[in-house]
Amino acid sequence: MVASQAPAFLQIKDVVKDFSGVKAVNHVSIDIAKGEIFALLGSSGCGKTTLLRMLAGFSSPTSGKIILNGQDLEGLPPYLRPINMMFQSYALFPHLSVEENIAFGLKRDGMPKDQIAERVEKMLKLVQLGKYAKRKPHQLSGGQQQRVALARSLAKRPQLLLLDEPLGALDKKLREETQIELVNIIEQVGVTVVMVTHDQEEAMTMASRIAIMSEGNILQIGAPSEIYETPANRFVADFIGNVNLMDGTLIDDNPDHVIVECADCKHYVGHGITGTEGMAVSVAVRPEKIHVTREKPDGEYNHVRGTIKDMVYFGSHTVYHIQLGSGLVFKISESNVSRHRDDPLTWGDEVWASWTPLSQVVLTQ
Amino acid sequence: MSPQAVLTQLRNSKLLSGRSAVIGVPYVWLLVFFLLPFLIVLKISVSEMETVHFKDLLTYKDGLLQLTLKFSNYEFIAEDPLYFKVYLASLKYAAATTLFCLLIGYPFSYFMARAKPSIQPALLMMVMLPFWTSFLLRVYAWKGLLGENGWVANLLEWLHVDHLLLALGVIPALGKFMNSPFSLVLGMTYTYLPFMILPLYANLAKMDLRLLEAAADLGATPWTAFWKVTVPLSKAGIIAGSMLVFIPCVGEFVIPELLGGPETLMIGRVLWDEFFSNNDWPMASSVAVVMILLIIVPLAIFNKYQAEAQEARS
Amino acid sequence: MNGKKPPIFGDAFNRRFGKAWLAAGFAFLYLPIIALVIYSFNDSPLPTTWGGFTLKWYGKLMHDTEMISGFWLSLKVAFFTACASVVLGMFAAFTLVKYKRFTGRTMFSGMVNAPLVMPEVIVGLSLLLMLVSVQRWLGFPERGAMTIWMGHLLLGLAYATVVIQARLQDLNPQIEEAAMDLGAKPHQVFFLVTMPMIGQALASAWLLTFTLSLDDVVLSAFLSGPGSTTMPLVIFSRARLGLNPSVNAVATVIIVVVCIAVVTASYLIARAERQRAREMAAAQRAS
């Protein structure tokens, strides 16, 4: 986002949506590149759907601008925007057949009949529903309906495709298969996508970049790995995946590392962060980056001692809950790399948990 | 203003005009044909008849603006015991009808809502069917059923119910059922029963039966569960049904005319007679205004319920 | 369920008492209708004494010019009432469902709903007095089919609005948004998507207002003029004088027509719904 670069394909500029005093969207700015799959991730009521509806044109920003491919969308009603949306409920027209549903938007554009037929056929092929062309929506399964909705929203070759909880209405198993299929189709077409979801797994697997939203604000924008490995603040660290958060004070700032003192241990953080001594910070460690041992690890940093309160066996891994001296409960996830552990841990065992100096993240807010 | 902003405004105003047409057409229609007539009734009720015309309320004569309001009709209604009795009787019969509709209709709707789901649409259709067929003819039919030698009259005599009815003073003599408070309330109950059943059924059918299982699980007997869970939850249906029966019954005309007698005067008939027989339009208007005052509270309750039900759905 | 305690009353009680109550209730509702039909074939001068089977009342009905002209007038009024009620009711229902905020919304919904319960004598009287005032002022309208239509429309609007509103509220608003998103202008959304989806409600609103108009006595009595006597007014004036076999014959004709229409319509709707449910189940299984 350097000023000298050409402007982004989709620019959301300082957009605010005010619902009688409540800012559902609060000064949000996002730049999205052409061909990108961008996800707005957050729990319900965070403003992501409001933002999506402003892109589609169903509501207009209280202030701010939305610019698509150089065109300001202000005042443009939904039916004049080069944007199409796949709705959460699919919103297929119940009285029209599959092909009529797909042709609906093309007819509104006054496209000649033979071209419409050609385009519809292409779309049906794309989503592999050729033999269902004459069926009505209620004669299709949930997964098939989802594909019709996708084909319908792609038929007009929109500049921007909006996906509202694209897989939310499918059951878990179908969702996993469909995620990949959906991304394949989108990449095949090469359309720019903004999707809204509350499911972090969905956002992680499908999107090239994610914006985390809460209470109308964007908390972090970044690639999935960035967001997971270097969360910008406590909220994001806690929202994405599991995390152990420890409050502490920065007591020693060195060029190559810092030392943070918490109630249960001292942290040696070995990657490039800096701050003033005496600053209150939080240290976050992901459960899968922690090891459990019976023996005290070497050195004086990056380990805690506690009692096993709980163990949950998941097959591929086991999660331990360890009660620390301060009362904090530590979550640790160990891969079950071999079928048996020589010396199995059990409830009430005194153990040590340790991690490497590069696996923590220090959060200042 | 930028050209784009002008464009926006133009579009918004266009959108607005489509919207105001949708709202405006029925709105204006109702204002002209529903609200305005009431104001005219109000005006005429305080007007003086001059042979065939009404005197204007406002007259301007010799530089003097004069407002003439004639309240004698209202005074007359207030002072004449006949009118008072008629109003009271109308409320009484309407209340009795509502009560009987509820007593018959509540268990009816209840059992309908708990019948096998597969036959419920058929049952519902059977309740609706009489509603679709002429109400006038169905009321007329009771004339034959309750008249001399009528099926129901014979049945009631055979069961000696007429002794009970006579003791209650709702029929004039043994074996005579027609033109009595009994036949009137029976006819009104019969006519308005579907209006009680339909909202109650709609309400009871969508009740979550697991609540009753929860109540039973927590130790409530079926009878307690019915009174503490089912009945309170169907309150909205009871209110809607009762208002749908009570309000129109107060002003009912056709049923008292066909099934009632000289003893069972109701306001609807009085209004009708003032208008059609006595040609006293101001008096008829005054009677109407007082009738509106009587039903205005139930009407407000009904409207509130109706609005709430509509909001709740969306 | 815990098995020991049936959820409501005892099961046996529920079944037996419930069935008996429903049966008695339906007997009450249908007894007058059955009596009307049976006595329309009664060959006795005494209306409540059975005197053998006859079709003579139906024969007389064919030559009953008063009744027949009343019938045609009623049919005409009912047809136009139903059409106008559905159009205005659609507007009103749309207003109540889609526009949550505009000045006078409470009054609007009050005015739409009030005729459902308002005693007809009041509505009839007030409308008549207004029409008389207008007539004195402008010289029209004369009392007749037109004024009856206006009164019936007031009633029909209320019923049509309730029926259409219920359906509109059940619609998924995303479907209309999807149409707009795909390039349909607001009026196209309405005609191409909304209308087809509420079609069944429009049809039942039409039928309901049609029968209401066909049946109305009180409004017609206030609003009719000389020479515009509707069928219910003819029936009413005869019924007031006492029992009249010709009324039974008319009643039977109406009842038979209405029953066939309503039962057929219900059957067709139920069949379509069953078919739909089957297809949905099949689609789920196939996937």
Side-chain angles (χ1 to χ4, degrees), chain C:
Chain C
M1 239 192 274
N2 60 14
K4 270 187 300 184
K5 279 174 189 161
I8 317 156
F9 300 102
D11 254 359
F13 175 81
N14 198 350
R15 227 177 289 132
R16 267 185 229 139
F17 184 73
K19 264 186 194 159
W21 195 276
L22 286 179
F26 280 122
F28 180 52
L29 286 176
Y30 281 89
L31 186 68
I33 297 174
I34 294 163
L36 276 179
V37 174
I38 290 179
Y39 278 100
S40 73
F41 301 109
N42 182 14
D43 192 19
S44 157
L46 294 168
T48 52
T49 320
W50 184 251
F53 181 86
T54 180
L55 286 173
K56 68 177 174 192
W57 306 115
Y58 292 91
K60 281 193 176 159
L61 198 59
M62 308 277 255
H63 306 287
D64 193 337
T65 49
E66 193 189 18
M67 193 68 90
I68 288 169
S69 71
F71 172 73
W72 287 116
L73 177 67
S74 286
L75 212 59
K76 203 166 71 182
V77 172
F79 177 80
F80 287 109
T81 300
C83 293
S85 298
V86 169
V87 173
L88 280 183
M90 195 161 67
F91 278 20
F94 208 78
T95 301
L96 287 172
V97 175
K98 303 276 167 180
Y99 305 132
K100 291 293 166 211
R101 268 175 218 174
F102 61 89
T103 3
R105 191 178 189 279
T106 316
M107 186 162 89
F108 182 76
S109 78
M111 286 196 301
V112 169
N113 287 324
L116 292 179
V117 289
M118 193 63 108
E120 280 183 84
V121 279
I122 297 181
V123 177
L125 175 74
S126 56
L127 203 52
L128 173 64
L129 291 180
M130 186 195 77
L131 289 173
V132 169
S133 308
V134 171
Q135 195 197 6
R136 221 165 257 168
W137 182 36
L138 295 175
F140 82 99
E142 279 303 322
R143 266 189 269 169
M146 172 82 166
T147 51
I148 298 175
W149 172 77
M150 287 175 177
H152 288 188
L153 183 47
L154 200 58
L155 202 62
L157 170 60
Y159 278 90
T161 306
V162 170
V163 172
I164 299 168
Q165 191 182 7
R167 176 76 187 113
L168 269 181
Q169 268 160 346
D170 286 344
L171 285 188
N172 173 3
Q174 288 190 345
I175 293 180
E176 283 164 330
E177 287 180 355
M180 198 178 269
D181 183 69
L182 290 166
K185 294 178 185 70
H187 68 274
Q188 291 176 318
V189 174
F190 185 77
F191 287 109
L192 295 173
V193 176
T194 315
M195 277 263 280
M197 285 197 297
I198 61 171
Q200 203 177 310
L202 296 181
S204 37
W206 195 93
L207 281 173
L208 182 64
T209 49
F210 184 83
T211 50
L212 277 174
S213 166
L214 206 58
D215 193 25
D216 176 80
V217 183
V218 176
L219 290 179
S220 308
F222 276 101
L223 299 169
S224 70
S228 61
T229 311
T230 62
M231 181 175 65
L233 286 177
V234 177
I235 296 173
F236 184 58
S237 63
R238 291 187 192 174
R240 270 168 118 172
L241 299 175
L243 295 171
N244 186 324
S246 71
V247 173
N248 287 54
V250 175
T252 305
V253 173
I254 295 176
I255 288 165
V256 167
V257 171
V258 168
C259 284
I260 290 174
V262 172
V263 172
T264 312
S266 308
Y267 172 73
L268 289 177
I269 290 170
R271 201 179 62 170
E273 268 165 16
R274 267 201 306 276
Q275 170 77 14
R276 198 183 152 82
R278 262 202 302 276
E279 286 174 354
M280 282 171 78
Q284 291 310 326
R285 266 201 307 279
S287 67

Side-chain angles (χ1 to χ4, degrees), chain A residues 13 16 26 33 47 53 58 71 119 125 135 138 143 185 211 213 239 255 265 286 295 318 344 352 361:
Chain A
K13 284 184 163 177
V16 176
N26 192 8
R53 291 177 64 81
F58 295 126
Q71 185 192 12
R119 181 78 64 87
K125 212 167 153 193
R135 290 221 185 158
H138 73 268
I185 291 174
M213 284 188 81
F239 183 74
C265 73
R286 300 269 182 208
E295 297 77 36
T318 303
W352 291 88
V361 180

Side-chain angles (χ1 to χ4, degrees), chain A residues 315-362:
Chain A
S316 64
H317 62 281
T318 303
V319 170
Y320 300 92
H321 287 190
I322 294 175
Q323 174 112 47
L324 306 185
S326 68
L328 194 74
V329 175
F330 225 58
K331 281 165 282 182
I332 301 166
S333 160
E334 284 260 18
S335 284
N336 296 324
V337 281
S338 60
R339 288 176 57 212
H340 296 289
R341 213 182 149 120
D342 296 335
D343 173 20
L345 296 167
T346 185
W347 282 267
D349 283 359
E350 291 274 318
V351 291
W352 291 88
S354 61
W355 53 93
T356 65
L358 291 174
S359 51
Q360 310 112 309
V361 180
V362 178

